[in-house]
Amino acid sequence: LEQRVHVRATRRAPRTSKGKMAASWRSVEVMETIWYCSFVATLRERTWALLRKHTNVREDEFPNIRRSRSGSFGEHLAKSAHGTWEEVTFYYGMACKLARKVGFGWKWLQKFLQLMLYAFLMLPGFLYMVGFYFTSKRVERNIPYRKMARNRLDLYLPRVRREEGKSPVVIFVTGGAWVIGYKGWGAGIGKLLSNQGFIVACLDYRNYPQGCVPDMLEDVMEGINWTFRNAACYGGDPNKIYLVGQSAGAHLTSLALIKQGERVKKGVDVDWEPHHLQGYVGVSGPYNITQIVEHFNQRGLYSTLFLHLMTGIDRKNGYASVALEGVSPECLVRAGALDGVKLPPYFCLMHGTADITVPSSQAVSFAETLMEQKVDTKLIKLQLIEGKTHTDFMINDPMRGDPDEVIEEVVEMAYGKEARKLVVAPAGLLPRWLVALASAVCPF
């Protein structure tokens, strides 16, 4: 606007004295400003009217955005842009803080370059999902579940409501090595499950170094609380809620079940109990942290950093195994944490045999421990998928159009085995050879 005003003022102003030039400048500036403000105000109101008419967007869906009395779309857009910039600067600061903690060793540099190459090869598919995430009317983003940093979730609403009434709800917690997790990573599973009639809540939570695992666990549990309290407000059935976690998300969600069971045994007033969930699916998760420290150390997540990430304890030499047992679901179950606790009726652990990030032995050992302890659940199911890698379930399979075992498992839990047979594989977004090439360079 300033450039346009300057050009017009220069063109219109007579080349006489400086006073006439300044007067002409001020008059043109005032006219331009009046015209611009009038145009923007009209555009704001008309855009907001169109949104109210043709979408399900409401002003009360943005409680974190401070608006003027008019509550116009332009003001909302400006505040959103300001919030986005604040979020970008926040993540930049966290990245710098993380870099100072871990340094720039060759392993981290190698993983970073591999990740960039993997993202470049998968870029066309990722761009499609980004477009869906930001433009779909079925996605309600950045709903706060608590007034703390990153305590927000995305809701994916079903394409078609089922005739029998309210929709079943899936709570999904993403992975990301406790460091790069983000709720937007759940766009793929959110889209696929919402196509099957589910409401999907993808939780965000604090990542390291903003918080350690106890902080992340607190966030996840609060997000589950919010879903139980508010599912009905969005057309969900609070009696049909399922919990799904992938990688670090599987670790945190299994911990959440155990910690909530301990609260119930202590007589704490809670919003939900583990058996209120109708099913649980843990995908590619680490469940015994004490046995995987050296594995992560060799892959670049060094033991001293790993200890601090898991427990918040600083120790320069070695790690405290006793402290790590407190954040290991398998160790807690062996110690009797689930004695007398009713779990979800269906408890499924899913893992790929070709997973090099988290060995499939983690799922095998955890399932055996649950069976040995005779936990109170109807079914403990272990699925070892031959040849699947760490990223196949959530990224690679949907990109190439292969059947998604996670989607099928959740559909079976909700609607039965016959419904599982009716699940159609998603349309592939990328050629199979390109996904295979990207998978070969993926660091996970």
Side-chain angles (χ1 to χ4, degrees):
L1 177 62
E2 289 179 356
Q3 291 178 352
R4 184 167 66 252
V5 169
H6 177 70
V7 169
R8 292 192 178 186
T10 305
R11 183 173 65 247
R12 294 179 184 179
R15 296 184 179 181
T16 55
S17 64
K18 292 184 180 180
K20 290 183 179 181
M21 179 70 176
S24 178
W25 163 266
R26 285 192 297 271
S27 63
V28 173
E29 184 181 28
V30 170
M31 287 188 294
E32 289 280 357
T33 304
I34 293 174
W35 172 85
Y36 176 75
C37 292
S38 176
F39 170 75
V40 170
T42 304
L43 179 63
R44 288 170 177 173
E45 296 304 327
R46 289 185 179 181
T47 307
W48 187 253
L50 287 173
L51 282 174
R52 286 196 299 264
K53 181 178 180 181
H54 297 289
T55 72
N56 59 354
V57 176
R58 302 183 305 273
E59 291 183 83
D60 56 4
E61 293 176 356
F62 305 98
N64 285 345
I65 300 177
R66 185 179 61 187
R67 299 181 299 274
S68 65
R69 295 178 182 177
S70 63
S72 64
F73 174 76
E75 283 143 358
H76 156 63
L77 186 62
K79 295 297 181 181
S80 298
H82 178 66
T84 302
W85 173 249
E86 287 184 339
E87 191 174 10
V88 170
T89 56
F90 168 77
Y91 287 129
Y92 175 75
M94 287 294 103
C96 294
K97 186 176 180 181
L98 177 65
R100 287 195 298 270
K101 283 183 174 292
V102 303
F104 290 98
W106 69 271
K107 288 185 179 180
W108 279 83
L109 180 60
Q110 179 188 8
K111 301 295 183 187
F112 176 76
L113 293 177
Q114 285 181 276
L115 182 61
M116 291 299 100
L117 181 57
Y118 173 76
F120 175 75
L121 293 173
M122 302 283 277
L123 187 59
F126 288 157
L127 289 177
Y128 172 83
M129 293 310 305
V130 168
F132 167 79
Y133 181 68
F134 284 102
T135 63
S136 176
K137 299 176 182 178
R138 295 191 287 130
V139 183
E140 299 196 15
R141 298 183 297 110
N142 294 326
I143 300 174
Y145 61 83
R146 188 172 59 163
K147 294 182 178 179
M148 287 192 66
R150 298 198 63 172
N151 282 194
R152 299 183 181 184
L153 57 85
D154 297 329
L155 279 182
Y156 297 81
L157 303 179
R159 175 183 292 175
V160 179
R161 300 281 182 178
R162 291 190 172 262
E163 296 179 358
E164 55 265 27
K166 293 185 176 181
S167 302
V169 181
V170 173
I171 304 171
F172 179 65
V173 182
T174 66
W178 306 277
V179 177
I180 58 172
Y182 180 60
K183 57 185 173 60
W185 306 161
I189 190 173
K191 182 177 185 294
L192 295 176
L193 280 174
S194 61
N195 289 345
Q196 301 295 329
F198 290 86
I199 294 176
V200 184
C202 290
L203 307 185
D204 205 3
Y205 54 91
R206 286 171 286 179
N207 281 198
Y208 187 79
Q210 188 184 10
C212 301
V213 163
D215 304 312
M216 304 176 202
L217 176 60
E218 181 184 349
D219 294 347
V220 169
M221 295 181 70
E222 190 59 38
I224 300 174
N225 292 344
W226 184 95
T227 306
F228 270 95
R229 292 193 301 263
N230 297 277
C233 300
Y234 292 88
D237 189 346
N239 296 316
K240 291 183 179 180
I241 297 181
Y242 304 83
L243 182 61
V244 180
Q246 189 264 340
S247 189
H251 170 246
L252 293 172
T253 50
S254 56
L255 273 179
L257 291 175
I258 296 172
K259 295 298 182 181
Q260 193 74 352
E262 291 179 341
R263 290 182 180 181
V264 172
K265 289 197 296 185
K266 293 178 182 179
V268 179
D269 187 21
V270 295
D271 292 307
W272 60 281
E273 297 183 20
H275 70 274
H276 291 163
L277 293 163
Q278 298 305 302
Y280 171 78
V281 182
V283 184
S284 307
Y287 307 105
N288 192 332
I289 304 302
T290 62
Q291 295 181 357
I292 207 169
V293 175
E294 184 57 32
H295 175 77
F296 281 140
N297 185 69
Q298 293 177 358
R299 293 184 60 82
L301 194 55
Y302 305 117
S303 57
T304 52
L305 173 67
F306 190 64
L307 173 65
H308 190 262
L309 184 156
M310 284 290 158
T311 63
I313 300 174
D314 286 309
R315 185 171 178 175
K316 294 183 179 180
N317 299 315
Y319 60 91
S321 59
V322 176
L324 292 179
E325 289 177 359
V327 291
S328 297
E330 182 179 335
C331 296
L332 292 173
V333 172
R334 288 189 185 278
L338 290 180
D339 293 347
V341 176
K342 292 184 65 176
L343 289 177
Y346 297 96
F347 199 100
C348 177
L349 299 176
M350 193 177 295
H351 219 110
T353 58
D355 193 334
I356 61 173
T357 301
V358 180
S360 59
S361 59
Q362 286 278 307
V364 174
S365 179
F366 188 37
E368 291 175 350
T369 300
L370 291 170
M371 295 176 186
E372 291 172 0
Q373 296 296 317
K374 298 181 180 180
V375 295
D376 190 355
T377 182
K378 182 178 179 180
L379 175 66
I380 298 175
K381 187 176 182 179
L382 173 64
Q383 287 193 23
L384 297 179
I385 313 299
E386 190 68 29
K388 294 290 185 182
T389 66
H390 197 71
T391 56
D392 277 345
F393 292 104
M394 296 298 168
I395 303 177
N396 298 344
D397 285 349
M399 287 291 181
R400 58 182 162 230
D402 286 348
D404 194 310
E405 287 85 357
V406 179
I407 305 299
E408 294 177 355
E409 189 66 33
V410 175
V411 169
E412 181 179 339
M413 286 182 178
Y415 303 119
K417 292 185 178 180
E418 294 300 321
R420 179 171 187 155
K421 299 177 183 178
L422 301 177
V423 177
V424 180
L429 301 178
L430 295 174
R432 302 183 70 86
W433 65 266
L434 184 60
V435 178
L437 179 61
S439 180
V441 301
C442 180
F444 300 114

